[in-house]
């Protein structure tokens, strides 16, 4: 079985399904699928073609988790490499660590011969330039980049707030469960900002005894609630996959300050069940589902769930609020 974000998993979901159908391990199958997403420039929030940070640089985050061993590998704020998911996989395979960031992650990527690439494509460079020209004051443009960035970060608006990280969850023929994420994160983020995607337990978690979960959307909310680990833990405590996701939605309802926006929670259990809920969603969020015996993956709608009444209708409500 596979659960994948739509549309951000579209270039890779078929490849993952073919590999799983051939009996490949879940982690291999989802890494292969995500690599196709990362190199597809039309996916504007993942890999090459992803959005830049406030300084106009693309910083990528990715994670993998093997639910059999509970080993993980993740990279954060990685610059200049085409396949952060494979660098994350090699953190799992080769190091006694679980997460590398920034210069250390880039050093490791070079050491293992990971493919280097220019990640900022002309479309994304132009979008950043437009933001720079219109949002940055003339004195700051003259001194750039030696300016205080925090105010720009607080008022930054992702030009495509509805677009997402790619997340893949899978169970293979042997019953092993795996999860993976890959993203450029939010457009115009503060340099060095990590979202939930590289944080195991927030943006993803897999345990072959119970199932797996991964989130897209406002990573700050998933980090604060420890969402992915919570969903798997609720299943361990006996909740169905639907009840586990809805309990994680309740956790998010408790958030009253900070960045409040949309989070889509994707989860699978080991019995063939799954649930996808879009917290503060507007009904446009979809996902791909595939199981052995399907001719092809099918696109299904996520269930929109109101967690913060008025969120979707209040202009600017997806901005940062102090509190
Ligand atoms: N969750 C990602 C992050 O916060 C972004 C997204 O999925 O839209 O970086």
């Amino acid at each position: 079985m596979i659960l994948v974000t739509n549309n951000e998993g579209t270039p890779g979901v078929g490849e993952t399904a073919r590999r799983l159908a051939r009996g490949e391990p879940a982690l291999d199958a989802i890494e292969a699928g995500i690599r196709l997403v990362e190199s597809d420039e039309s996916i504007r929030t993942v890999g090459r073609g992803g959005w830049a940070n406030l300084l106009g640089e693309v910083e990528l985050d990715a994670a993998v988790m093997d639910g059999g061993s509970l080993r993980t590998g993740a990279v954060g704020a990685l610059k200049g490499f085409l396949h952060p998911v494979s660098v994350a996989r090699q953190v799992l395979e080769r190091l006694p660590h679980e997460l590398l960031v920034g210069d250390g992650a880039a050093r490791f990527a070079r050491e293992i011969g990971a493919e280097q690439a220019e990640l900022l494509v002309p479309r994304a460079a132009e979008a950043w330039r437009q933001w720079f020209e219109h949002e940055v004051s003339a004195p700051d443009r003259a001194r750039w980049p030696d300016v205080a960035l925090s105010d720009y970060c607080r008022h930054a608006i992702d030009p495509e707030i509805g677009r997402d990280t790619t997340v893949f969850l899978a169970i293979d023929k042997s019953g092993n469960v795996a999860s993976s994420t890959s993203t450029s994160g939010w457009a115009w983020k503060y340099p060095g900002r990590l979202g939930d995607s590289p944080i195991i337990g927030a943006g993803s978690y897999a345990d072959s005894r119970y199932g797996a979960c991964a989130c897209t959307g406002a990573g700050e909310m998933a980090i604060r609630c420890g969402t992915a680990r919570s969903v798997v833990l609720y299943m361990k405590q006996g909740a169905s996959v639907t009840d586990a996701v809805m309990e994680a939605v309740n956790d998010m309802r408790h958030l009253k300050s900070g960045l409040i926006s949309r989070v889509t929670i994707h989860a699978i259990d080991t019995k063939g069940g799954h649930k996808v809920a879009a917290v503060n969603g507007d009904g446009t969020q979809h996902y791909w589902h595939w199981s052995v015996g399907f001719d092809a993956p099918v696109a299904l709608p996520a269930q929109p769930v109101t967690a913060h009444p008025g969120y979707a209708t209040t202009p600017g409500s997806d901005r940062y609020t102090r509190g």
Side-chain angles (χ1 to χ4, degrees):
M1 180 177 46
I2 311 174
L3 217 60
V4 168
T5 10
N6 182 8
N7 106 112
E8 294 74 14
T10 305
V13 64
E15 177 68 13
T16 298
R18 275 188 293 281
R19 286 175 181 255
L20 276 188
R22 286 203 301 262
E24 284 192 23
L27 203 51
D28 292 349
I30 60 182
E31 182 185 348
I34 289 187
R35 284 174 65 93
L36 294 174
V37 181
E38 289 174 338
S39 49
D40 188 326
E41 289 179 27
S42 72
I43 303 300
R44 296 182 281 212
T45 39
V46 180
R48 180 164 60 202
W51 296 119
N53 65 14
L54 281 170
L55 293 177
E57 305 162 333
V58 181
E59 292 180 324
L60 301 178
D61 300 337
V64 297
M65 183 161 188
D66 171 36
S69 60
L70 302 186
R71 276 301 317 272
T72 78
V75 289
L78 176 65
K79 289 191 256 185
F81 291 88
L82 186 58
H83 292 302
V85 70
S86 295
V87 183
R89 175 77 188 268
Q90 291 309 312
V91 171
L92 181 157
E93 301 289 348
R94 301 188 196 207
L95 295 180
H97 307 311
E98 311 290 326
L99 169 62
L100 293 181
V101 299
D103 290 345
R107 181 191 174 105
F108 175 69
R110 272 193 301 279
E111 217 168 283
I112 63 170
E115 189 177 343
Q116 306 201 18
E118 175 52 73
L119 302 169
L120 187 67
V121 302
R123 168 193 44 74
E126 175 56 19
W128 181 83
R129 200 190 60 77
Q130 291 284 341
W131 169 82
F132 181 74
E133 299 290 333
H134 293 108
E135 300 291 332
V136 177
S137 67
D140 277 358
R141 284 206 303 273
R143 291 186 295 130
W144 195 264
D146 296 323
V147 303
L149 292 177
S150 50
D151 270 343
Y152 291 114
C153 167
R154 198 163 293 157
H155 299 295
I157 304 179
D158 192 320
E160 275 194 318
I161 211 125
R163 302 288 174 153
D164 269 331
T165 298
T166 192
V167 300
F168 279 54
L169 305 175
I171 307 182
D172 61 27
K173 273 190 179 150
S174 335
N176 211 39
V177 179
S179 62
S180 187
T181 64
S182 182
T183 190
S184 62
W186 286 67
W188 331 147
K189 63 189 177 185
Y190 199 99
R193 174 264 188 189
L194 301 185
D196 57 332
S197 309
I199 310 291
I200 294 292
S204 65
Y205 198 82
D207 184 328
S208 298
R209 295 172 295 177
Y210 312 109
C213 177
C215 303
T216 62
E220 285 73 4
M221 293 170 68
I223 291 173
R224 292 166 72 195
C225 292
T227 301
R229 172 67 180 136
S230 295
V231 168
V232 175
L233 187 59
Y234 295 143
M235 289 196 279
K236 176 182 180 183
Q237 290 174 328
S240 67
V241 63
T242 297
D243 288 349
V245 167
M246 296 319 274
E247 193 53 39
V249 172
N250 270 334
D251 294 338
M252 289 201 168
R253 290 201 165 100
H254 190 61
L255 303 179
K256 304 288 184 224
S257 60
L259 179 76
I260 301 295
S261 186
R262 192 238 344 138
V263 175
T264 306
I265 305 173
H266 309 70
I268 59 175
D269 66 21
T270 50
K271 301 173 218 106
H274 76 267
K275 177 74 184 172
V276 181
V279 179
N280 299 323
D282 59 6
T284 60
Q285 287 75 39
H286 281 71
Y287 63 95
W288 289 112
H289 178 229
W290 177 88
S291 259
V292 175
F294 285 24
D295 287 340
V298 290
L300 298 169
Q303 181 192 343
V305 184
T306 304
H308 298 90
Y311 160 75
T313 50
T314 309
S317 58
D318 47 9
R319 296 189 187 196
Y320 176 83
T321 54
R322 287 173 188 271

